[in-house]
Amino acid sequence: MIYNFEEELRRAPKNWGRWGKDDEIGTLNFVTRDHILRSLMTARTGKTFTLGLWINRKEGDPVWIGRRPTVHLMTKDEGTYISGKAEPRPGGGKSADDIVIMHLQGSTQVDALGHYWKDNTLYNGFDSRTTIGGLAKDDVSKLAERGILGRGVLLDVARHKGKGSLDKGEMISFSDLLDTAKEEGVKINKHDIILVRTGFLKTFYEKGPNEFYKDFSEPGITYERELVKWFYENEFIAYGSDTIASEQTYSSTLGIMLPLHIFFLNYLGLPIMEMLWLEELAKDCAEDGQYDFFFIASPLKVIGGTGSPINPIVIK
Amino acid sequence: MIYNFEEELRRAPKNWGRWGKDDEIGTLNFVTRDHILRSLMTARTGKTFTLGLWINRKEGDPVWIGRRPTVHLMTKDEGTYISGKAEPRPGGGKSADDIVIMHLQGSTQVDALGHYWKDNTLYNGFDSRTTIGGLAKDDVSKLAERGILGRGVLLDVARHKGKGSLDKGEMISFSDLLDTAKEEGVKINKHDIILVRTGFLKTFYEKGPNEFYKDFSEPGITYERELVKWFYENEFIAYGSDTIASEQTYSSTLGIMLPLHIFFLNYLGLPIMEMLWLEELAKDCAEDGQYDFFFIASPLKVIGGTGSPINPIVIK
Amino acid sequence: MIYNFEEELRRAPKNWGRWGKDDEIGTLNFVTRDHILRSLMTARTGKTFTLGLWINRKEGDPVWIGRRPTVHLMTKDEGTYISGKAEPRPGGGKSADDIVIMHLQGSTQVDALGHYWKDNTLYNGFDSRTTIGGLAKDDVSKLAERGILGRGVLLDVARHKGKGSLDKGEMISFSDLLDTAKEEGVKINKHDIILVRTGFLKTFYEKGPNEFYKDFSEPGITYERELVKWFYENEFIAYGSDTIASEQTYSSTLGIMLPLHIFFLNYLGLPIMEMLWLEELAKDCAEDGQYDFFFIASPLKVIGGTGSPINPIVIK
Amino acid sequence: MIYNFEEELRRAPKNWGRWGKDDEIGTLNFVTRDHILRSLMTARTGKTFTLGLWINRKEGDPVWIGRRPTVHLMTKDEGTYISGKAEPRPGGGKSADDIVIMHLQGSTQVDALGHYWKDNTLYNGFDSRTTIGGLAKDDVSKLAERGILGRGVLLDVARHKGKGSLDKGEMISFSDLLDTAKEEGVKINKHDIILVRTGFLKTFYEKGPNEFYKDFSEPGITYERELVKWFYENEFIAYGSDTIASEQTYSSTLGIMLPLHIFFLNYLGLPIMEMLWLEELAKDCAEDGQYDFFFIASPLKVIGGTGSPINPIVIK
């Protein structure tokens, strides 16, 4: 391994206390009215893209191992009227209604800051026992009060590397990110929202679940001292990728699973967005050469939620 | 009654076929790149508001009669580690995870065009049997591919009438809307998104569920020939209000329940947004006198869904 | 109050360790092959009764406050074929399929021994943290391996007191039980299963949920030194009643809620059955004068479950 | 193929109308008080066995393709108290509570008569549109009112054939059944409950789900003219086996899937029990040579249910 985990835990930047001891929204504190107005100027053509995955596809939905795909069930539909179990309203009105049973982290989604922690302490110092029965602290409803808005930048690493999709378990290095930005000609600004494309998520649909889950190991960025410093110093507002966990599953630098979940969510209070669908957006950016845009993700205000499904919107 | 329903059904404007026989998104077709760019210019101060309701509040969540409030259940939390049923990851990482069981129309939400119909035909002429087991046509995933974006206008009728909340069952007339806009000094443009505030939703929290559901009858706009013509001719993109069904429950003009669900969703293909939380936005508009803004709602791409929870964002 | 709770906790009989330190089935240990054969002899006429409540009634299902009634949803039915979303099998076969979302304690049910405890220790000394995420000890699957079988005796206290239903909060005393048995002419034997009828459950259907839940307080037996001694010395196998919690909600003798849940489940390891439907059985016993019978309840083997729905069968 | 399906449909015995046009319980009508009393006499030793599968095992639960295994979630446990989200009751009482999301046919279960049909007509002539939104006719609550009781006979075909488990897709012929009975020395009586052991279900646990579902094809009995006649003339009360669907998946005699579901459930009104766990019972029968017993299965009274989980009890 390149790093010693314990030493990095001591050295890594941390935003605890930065916005007071009650803060539960972390880097969303960087979002100011000026920031919003400046970010809006990145919308130059009016083109829009939605980055949410389909939920309840016949072919199945990708989910992290142990989670179950969403179940969608009708409580009322035309069948209800055909069978005489419901009468149309006077005037003839009929309606359909339905229920979903879904993991809050079961599709394109944002992690609440309290979704992941180390030992016994959530982001900003809250006791991890507050997660029991529903996150009393650092839950997703706090992020949802604000929404996630700002200038987004797409770093299309798969394209930069000339691959349809990165390989299983492939590490994206910090210099890969910088090289990608350079090749794209995009300037990265303070308070940006960083989106990294691996091309990996689409292999679920292209190759099928069996191949996707076989020796499951996602590609992505992972802990590097310079990378985390870059996120910290640039005060990025949020980060996302097109894999289920948005980082290299088994870190090439630390030898453990998902260390950025600790350094981003827990240390920096930086929301991670997962399972972003970046295909159409990436194609368009490659065509028009514009890799920045106004980005909006709006999680649901689920009290106690560890995350929320989102369908982010990009306006170029 | 003022109108004969059957006659109005014959006279009312209808967008079926307007965008081809396969169209499933109705008035969202009016959203063009130019429209997006023009709408963005209404964001003048960078102030933001989120219009979604809290989900899973201890005090309960308002839902239409027959629906059940969302159930939120943890599948993993600190208790899982305390009990030894899960081990922290090497390095000490722990996580919390959860499930919701929720009506797609069980909180702030947008109706799919196929949510409501008359007799046997959905918006744009699809057979209503396609709703069985999940909407094969006019489902919410089609709206979610686009998102609902544009210039929004708040018509704060409760404030205009000098009331904290409109009364149960109170009708908002078309001229109330025009008078409200006039008092607010806001110009209504083609392709706007119209939000109407009744103040009624907050009575669920203020007075409690018992009082809220007693002789349940919501205030709101209802069918008027001029009103529907106005929506049609101005090619409004979407409509929403702060009640569960976003229209007067028992129509004062037609004597039936929820007729606008037919004229808006089914005839015009105009998405209805429901249970919008408008309180902070309304207060701010009253203070700064700016009643228009950039509006974004992004439903989830639930295949077959009759609607989707949303947490709309407003940027003034 | 008649008793001091702390003192009774010290004095009350306890079966911990009686069947070894690993025991998780308590009084079901009393069930031997001889016991089964003797009990079968109480079946003298071949009349049968089922004691389970209906689940998913239109009028609603009674549940303890905070639990939600069962939700029943179809995943396939004739509508699926009408809409073309499923094809009949070659030969024409069609099927219907469904899902329930239900509290394991949401209808007629037996409590696992680990459902209720005091402080930090389950029946037979297990750490209560083993309940987290699913009962690792004293769960219902252990009872279900055996089933609950034996001679049952109905003590129809409501009838004995000449009431259609006992009053809200009414205490049934130990001497009420003995007097009822005496009036019925039924001999109570060692290892019996004791069923106590209050007539209260049927008021849910007769008077409606509003009246049923108003100032909610169920009638029933409660802690008395002699009563618990009687259960202990007679080595009764199980106990049940026709209320949601099968004991007086607010104990007249101890001033606390549901103390028998501690003395029965936790101290004696005696399964409690709740929400038994005793109406037809009681009527028949009154007619033929036979108050004992062969009783079978067969919980489901839900690993980790706090209880299981049952539909007990009585053979007279 | 041996038979022509259409011709057999015409020839096969049918109990429609036999117990009046309103009947929804079919062969359970054969259960009389005398039958119960006679059947009880098969309980000669007091040995008991429970035939339900475990639900919610870590290794997974076997379910028919397209169904999902049961989900078990805690709503309260010791974690709730540790986190301070619930207070012990005065006196110190604490409790655990939970929910299951389960297919009614997702574990050991009995099929309602309306679970399976051909074309448009349920058992006894009811319109199959009555299944929509919940079985209004022939649902499992009708069977549950009675319970399934009587003399059961185990035909251990796997043992008779000298196999641990029958092969995938292996047909059990009618003469296999008769030969097995002959070898066991068990007399089959009118009104019996017939249990057939294939040994197949246990391969789910022994070999794992991947092997179990690979080229999925269960062994079992299938349509034979003599077999169905035998069931009809002997007026058997119920039938079950240790596979998910309790008959040969692809019929060797008719070339279609699951034809007995039509001839048993739909034609005869004969309840089919599935996923019976017969291993311990079979071993004991082999040891003591007693292959008949008193059998009790008690489905839950789920209104509209297509089936119900059961944990049948056998008393030898």
Side-chain angles (χ1 to χ4, degrees), chain A residues 39-57:
Chain A
S39 299
L40 281 166
M41 298 173 67
T42 55
R44 297 187 286 265
T45 64
K47 285 192 268 191
T48 59
F49 299 86
T50 56
L51 309 186
L53 275 190
W54 302 268
I55 297 172
N56 189 37
R57 280 182 70 149

mmCIF file of all heavy atoms in Angstrom, chain A residues 39-57:
data_model
loop_
_atom_site.group_PDB
_atom_site.id
_atom_site.type_symbol
_atom_site.label_atom_id
_atom_site.label_comp_id
_atom_site.label_asym_id
_atom_site.label_seq_id
_atom_site.Cartn_x
_atom_site.Cartn_y
_atom_site.Cartn_z
ATOM 1 N N SER A 39 -23.082 30.336 -10.875
ATOM 2 C CA SER A 39 -23.213 28.992 -11.468
ATOM 3 C C SER A 39 -24.241 28.982 -12.593
ATOM 4 O O SER A 39 -24.083 28.259 -13.584
ATOM 5 C CB SER A 39 -23.633 27.991 -10.386
ATOM 6 O OG SER A 39 -22.660 27.912 -9.364
ATOM 7 N N LEU A 40 -25.291 29.765 -12.435
ATOM 8 C CA LEU A 40 -26.342 29.799 -13.454
ATOM 9 C C LEU A 40 -25.786 30.244 -14.810
ATOM 10 O O LEU A 40 -26.330 29.892 -15.861
ATOM 11 C CB LEU A 40 -27.473 30.742 -13.027
ATOM 12 C CG LEU A 40 -28.450 30.164 -12.002
ATOM 13 C CD1 LEU A 40 -29.307 31.277 -11.401
ATOM 14 C CD2 LEU A 40 -29.346 29.102 -12.655
ATOM 15 N N MET A 41 -24.697 30.994 -14.771
ATOM 16 C CA MET A 41 -24.146 31.506 -16.021
ATOM 17 C C MET A 41 -23.498 30.414 -16.873
ATOM 18 O O MET A 41 -23.172 30.629 -18.031
ATOM 19 C CB MET A 41 -23.165 32.639 -15.725
ATOM 20 C CG MET A 41 -23.881 33.802 -15.049
ATOM 21 S SD MET A 41 -22.738 35.094 -14.496
ATOM 22 C CE MET A 41 -22.154 35.677 -16.080
ATOM 23 N N THR A 42 -23.302 29.237 -16.250
ATOM 24 C CA THR A 42 -22.753 28.126 -17.040
ATOM 25 C C THR A 42 -23.809 27.532 -17.965
ATOM 26 O O THR A 42 -23.487 26.736 -18.847
ATOM 27 C CB THR A 42 -22.212 27.007 -16.130
ATOM 28 O OG1 THR A 42 -23.262 26.592 -15.245
ATOM 29 C CG2 THR A 42 -21.034 27.495 -15.326
ATOM 30 N N ALA A 43 -25.065 27.890 -17.735
ATOM 31 C CA ALA A 43 -26.134 27.405 -18.619
ATOM 32 C C ALA A 43 -26.175 28.328 -19.826
ATOM 33 O O ALA A 43 -26.714 29.429 -19.755
ATOM 34 C CB ALA A 43 -27.476 27.406 -17.876
ATOM 35 N N ARG A 44 -25.595 27.854 -20.909
ATOM 36 C CA ARG A 44 -25.418 28.778 -22.050
ATOM 37 C C ARG A 44 -26.263 28.412 -23.275
ATOM 38 O O ARG A 44 -26.465 29.216 -24.162
ATOM 39 C CB ARG A 44 -23.938 28.790 -22.444
ATOM 40 C CG ARG A 44 -23.046 29.332 -21.336
ATOM 41 C CD ARG A 44 -21.616 29.511 -21.763
ATOM 42 N NE ARG A 44 -20.890 28.257 -21.889
ATOM 43 C CZ ARG A 44 -20.123 27.710 -20.935
ATOM 44 N NH1 ARG A 44 -19.982 28.315 -19.763
ATOM 45 N NH2 ARG A 44 -19.488 26.581 -21.150
ATOM 46 N N THR A 45 -26.744 27.170 -23.326
ATOM 47 C CA THR A 45 -27.478 26.746 -24.531
ATOM 48 C C THR A 45 -28.915 26.315 -24.233
ATOM 49 O O THR A 45 -29.723 26.182 -25.138
ATOM 50 C CB THR A 45 -26.771 25.538 -25.186
ATOM 51 O OG1 THR A 45 -26.829 24.424 -24.272
ATOM 52 C CG2 THR A 45 -25.327 25.845 -25.502
ATOM 53 N N GLY A 46 -29.202 26.050 -22.957
ATOM 54 C CA GLY A 46 -30.550 25.590 -22.620
ATOM 55 C C GLY A 46 -30.748 24.091 -22.804
ATOM 56 O O GLY A 46 -31.846 23.588 -22.598
ATOM 57 N N LYS A 47 -29.701 23.384 -23.178
ATOM 58 C CA LYS A 47 -29.819 21.918 -23.267
ATOM 59 C C LYS A 47 -29.944 21.328 -21.866
ATOM 60 O O LYS A 47 -29.256 21.766 -20.952
ATOM 61 C CB LYS A 47 -28.576 21.320 -23.949
ATOM 62 C CG LYS A 47 -28.524 21.530 -25.448
ATOM 63 C CD LYS A 47 -27.442 20.676 -26.106
ATOM 64 C CE LYS A 47 -26.127 21.443 -26.212
ATOM 65 N NZ LYS A 47 -25.110 20.790 -27.044
ATOM 66 N N THR A 48 -30.798 20.339 -21.708
ATOM 67 C CA THR A 48 -30.955 19.715 -20.384
ATOM 68 C C THR A 48 -30.749 18.203 -20.465
ATOM 69 O O THR A 48 -31.026 17.584 -21.492
ATOM 70 C CB THR A 48 -32.367 19.965 -19.805
ATOM 71 O OG1 THR A 48 -33.332 19.423 -20.713
ATOM 72 C CG2 THR A 48 -32.631 21.441 -19.606
ATOM 73 N N PHE A 49 -30.296 17.662 -19.364
ATOM 74 C CA PHE A 49 -30.088 16.218 -19.237
ATOM 75 C C PHE A 49 -30.547 15.792 -17.851
ATOM 76 O O PHE A 49 -30.359 16.531 -16.887
ATOM 77 C CB PHE A 49 -28.601 15.865 -19.414
ATOM 78 C CG PHE A 49 -28.078 16.251 -20.759
ATOM 79 C CD1 PHE A 49 -27.599 17.539 -20.999
ATOM 80 C CD2 PHE A 49 -28.120 15.347 -21.817
ATOM 81 C CE1 PHE A 49 -27.147 17.911 -22.254
ATOM 82 C CE2 PHE A 49 -27.663 15.715 -23.081
ATOM 83 C CZ PHE A 49 -27.183 16.995 -23.296
ATOM 84 N N THR A 50 -31.142 14.601 -17.775
ATOM 85 C CA THR A 50 -31.500 14.062 -16.456
ATOM 86 C C THR A 50 -30.598 12.865 -16.184
ATOM 87 O O THR A 50 -30.397 12.016 -17.053
ATOM 88 C CB THR A 50 -32.981 13.656 -16.401
ATOM 89 O OG1 THR A 50 -33.253 12.717 -17.459
ATOM 90 C CG2 THR A 50 -33.893 14.857 -16.566
ATOM 91 N N LEU A 51 -30.083 12.808 -14.982
ATOM 92 C CA LEU A 51 -29.028 11.832 -14.670
ATOM 93 C C LEU A 51 -29.502 10.672 -13.800
ATOM 94 O O LEU A 51 -28.685 9.901 -13.286
ATOM 95 C CB LEU A 51 -27.846 12.537 -13.993
ATOM 96 C CG LEU A 51 -27.277 13.782 -14.685
ATOM 97 C CD1 LEU A 51 -26.020 14.264 -13.968
ATOM 98 C CD2 LEU A 51 -26.973 13.526 -16.164
ATOM 99 N N GLY A 52 -30.818 10.560 -13.597
ATOM 100 C CA GLY A 52 -31.315 9.460 -12.765
ATOM 101 C C GLY A 52 -31.464 8.172 -13.555
ATOM 102 O O GLY A 52 -31.771 8.191 -14.749
ATOM 103 N N LEU A 53 -31.252 7.063 -12.879
ATOM 104 C CA LEU A 53 -31.482 5.755 -13.496
ATOM 105 C C LEU A 53 -32.973 5.458 -13.555
ATOM 106 O O LEU A 53 -33.762 5.963 -12.763
ATOM 107 C CB LEU A 53 -30.841 4.652 -12.650
ATOM 108 C CG LEU A 53 -29.372 4.339 -12.853
ATOM 109 C CD1 LEU A 53 -29.042 3.059 -12.093
ATOM 110 C CD2 LEU A 53 -29.056 4.135 -14.333
ATOM 111 N N TRP A 54 -33.355 4.566 -14.453
ATOM 112 C CA TRP A 54 -34.699 4.037 -14.460
ATOM 113 C C TRP A 54 -34.857 3.133 -13.255
ATOM 114 O O TRP A 54 -33.935 2.404 -12.874
ATOM 115 C CB TRP A 54 -34.954 3.261 -15.746
ATOM 116 C CG TRP A 54 -34.732 4.146 -16.920
ATOM 117 C CD1 TRP A 54 -35.670 4.907 -17.561
ATOM 118 C CD2 TRP A 54 -33.483 4.418 -17.551
ATOM 119 N NE1 TRP A 54 -35.067 5.634 -18.557
ATOM 120 C CE2 TRP A 54 -33.730 5.358 -18.569
ATOM 121 C CE3 TRP A 54 -32.176 3.981 -17.350
ATOM 122 C CZ2 TRP A 54 -32.728 5.855 -19.379
ATOM 123 C CZ3 TRP A 54 -31.167 4.472 -18.157
ATOM 124 C CH2 TRP A 54 -31.445 5.393 -19.158
ATOM 125 N N ILE A 55 -36.041 3.171 -12.688
ATOM 126 C CA ILE A 55 -36.336 2.345 -11.507
ATOM 127 C C ILE A 55 -37.402 1.342 -11.905
ATOM 128 O O ILE A 55 -38.407 1.722 -12.499
ATOM 129 C CB ILE A 55 -36.846 3.246 -10.355
ATOM 130 C CG1 ILE A 55 -35.742 4.233 -9.948
ATOM 131 C CG2 ILE A 55 -37.307 2.423 -9.168
ATOM 132 C CD1 ILE A 55 -36.196 5.300 -8.964
ATOM 133 N N ASN A 56 -37.146 0.069 -11.587
ATOM 134 C CA ASN A 56 -38.168 -0.951 -11.852
ATOM 135 C C ASN A 56 -38.160 -1.408 -13.309
ATOM 136 O O ASN A 56 -39.196 -1.736 -13.874
ATOM 137 C CB ASN A 56 -39.558 -0.390 -11.460
ATOM 138 C CG ASN A 56 -40.655 -1.424 -11.477
ATOM 139 O OD1 ASN A 56 -40.440 -2.564 -11.110
ATOM 140 N ND2 ASN A 56 -41.835 -1.032 -11.920
ATOM 141 N N ARG A 57 -36.974 -1.436 -13.905
ATOM 142 C CA ARG A 57 -36.881 -1.960 -15.267
ATOM 143 C C ARG A 57 -37.063 -3.463 -15.284
ATOM 144 O O ARG A 57 -36.661 -4.155 -14.345
ATOM 145 C CB ARG A 57 -35.499 -1.645 -15.859
ATOM 146 C CG ARG A 57 -35.410 -0.218 -16.374
ATOM 147 C CD ARG A 57 -34.064 0.035 -16.980
ATOM 148 N NE ARG A 57 -33.898 -0.694 -18.223
ATOM 149 C CZ ARG A 57 -33.142 -0.262 -19.240
ATOM 150 N NH1 ARG A 57 -32.529 0.903 -19.146
ATOM 151 N NH2 ARG A 57 -33.020 -0.967 -20.331
#
